[in-house]
């Protein structure tokens, strides 16, 4: 059995779940069974909205072996710490163990490292978005993120005034946050409409790298708001896809950039490579 673990919590975005979801769908097309593991109930709900099957919820990455059995294949997309002792156990207990590490990294035991932001091989993006690249598109949307725990978006919301942007309502946004934010946007999209937004929007502004990659695959005019938390390979890979990077500190120039960008594109994807690694 193949187990795909995606980390999430109410302070972070669902990038890992979207990568894992793309991989699960590719395996499903091949007729290969896989089970998704998450550590947060809201992530399970978001997965269903993305067309994924019900996931199994566990507490942390340290509990994977409570579900996966000896000889199974396990892929872990999580920033959680795996102590050497537990990592050694996992590599001996499972037939294959994959760790997702942005910008790569060194294997500590016999685990295999998968890079979701390899500039030459491309990001991990569901095939459904590339299939929508030739569809008729319209509208501008801000898919800031799934969470705004520190209210960074709210504190900078005036920068979006008058830009004609609609707002994607993140899965972890605060209750009663809506009224304050909507004064700065022309409309609202609920979280269950995420995939449709990626497929149909002409212009997508986002602070989530995974969403920027998906928007590029769909052929949208794409701006990535760089909050300064991602490793250098993310910016390099998105740039190779035609995504325009805008540092958060330069948010005031967004209006000018919106009028001067071309459609992005996805020149390569690592999805097939990851799937072949799992099935090898």
């Amino acid at each position: 059995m193949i187990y795909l673990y995606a980390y999430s919590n109410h302070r972070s975005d669902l990038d890992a779940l979207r990568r894992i979801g793309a991989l699960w769908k590719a395996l499903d097309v091949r007729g290969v069974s896989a089970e998704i593991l998450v550590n947060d109930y809201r992530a399970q709900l978001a997965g269903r909205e993305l067309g994924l099957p019900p996931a199994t919820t566990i507490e942390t990455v340290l509990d994977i072996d409570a579900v996966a059995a000896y000889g199974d294949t396990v892929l872990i997309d999580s920033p959680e710490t795996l102590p050497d002792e537990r990592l050694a156990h996992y590599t001996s207990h499972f037939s294959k163990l994959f760790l997702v590490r942005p910008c790569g990294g060194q294997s500590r035991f016999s685990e295999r490292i998968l890079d979701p932001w390899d500039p030459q091989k491309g990001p991990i993006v569901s095939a459904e978005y590339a299939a929508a690249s030739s569809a008729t598109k319209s509208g501008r949307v801000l898919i800031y993120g799934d969470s705004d725990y520190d209210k960074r978006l709210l504190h900078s919301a005036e920068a979006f005034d008058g830009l004609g942007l609609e707002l994607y309502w993140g899965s972890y946004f605060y209750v009663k946050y809506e009224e304050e934010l909507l004064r700065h946007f022309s409309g609202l999209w609920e979280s269950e409409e995420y995939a449709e937004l990626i497929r149909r929007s002409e212009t997508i502004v986002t602070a989530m790298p995974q969403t920027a990659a998906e928007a590029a695959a769909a052929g949208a005019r794409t701006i990535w708001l760089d909050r300064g938390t991602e490793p250098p390979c993310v910016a390099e890979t998105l740039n190779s896809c035609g995504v325009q990077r805008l540092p958060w500190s330069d948010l005031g120039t967004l209006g000018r950039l919106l009028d001067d960008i071309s459609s992005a594109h996805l020149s390569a994807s690592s999805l097939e490579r990851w799937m072949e690694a799992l099935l090898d």
Side-chain angles (χ1 to χ4, degrees), residues 133-155:
S133 61
S134 60
T136 301
K137 303 183 186 303
S138 64
R140 293 177 171 181
V141 61
L142 172 68
I143 307 180
Y144 169 77
D146 299 298
S147 172
D148 189 22
Y149 185 80
D150 58 3
K151 295 190 176 182
R152 191 173 191 174
L153 174 58
L154 180 61
H155 294 154

Side-chain angles (χ1 to χ4, degrees), residues 40-56:
D40 170 68
Y41 182 70
R42 294 285 304 194
Q44 182 164 163
L45 295 178
R48 292 180 184 180
E49 292 168 356
L50 291 171
L52 302 177
T56 298

Side-chain angles (χ1 to χ4, degrees), residues 75-93:
L75 184 147
I76 298 172
D77 192 340
S78 170
E80 296 166 283
T81 299
L82 256 179
D84 282 352
E85 180 180 355
R86 181 53 65 91
L87 180 56
H89 167 63
Y90 279 4
T91 54
S92 63
H93 187 69

Side-chain angles (χ1 to χ4, degrees), residues 48-65:
R48 292 180 184 180
E49 292 168 356
L50 291 171
L52 302 177
T56 298
T57 303
I58 59 177
E59 288 292 328
T60 74
V61 69
L62 303 179
D63 300 308
I64 289 177
D65 59 349

Side-chain angles (χ1 to χ4, degrees), residues 191-202:
S191 60
E192 61 264 27
E193 298 170 299
Y194 174 88
E196 178 62 20
L197 272 178
I198 299 295
R199 290 191 294 261
R200 65 165 289 278
S201 297
E202 181 181 28

Side-chain angles (χ1 to χ4, degrees), residues 89-133:
H89 167 63
Y90 279 4
T91 54
S92 63
H93 187 69
F94 302 127
S95 63
K96 284 183 281 189
L97 178 68
F98 299 89
L99 300 184
V100 176
R101 293 288 182 264
C103 302
Q106 295 296 317
S107 174
R108 288 147 61 192
F109 293 93
S110 59
E111 78 277 13
R112 293 182 62 178
I113 305 299
L114 297 174
D115 185 353
W117 297 106
D118 186 310
Q120 281 72 49
K121 297 174 182 175
I124 302 297
V125 176
S126 177
E128 67 184 293
Y129 299 125
S133 61

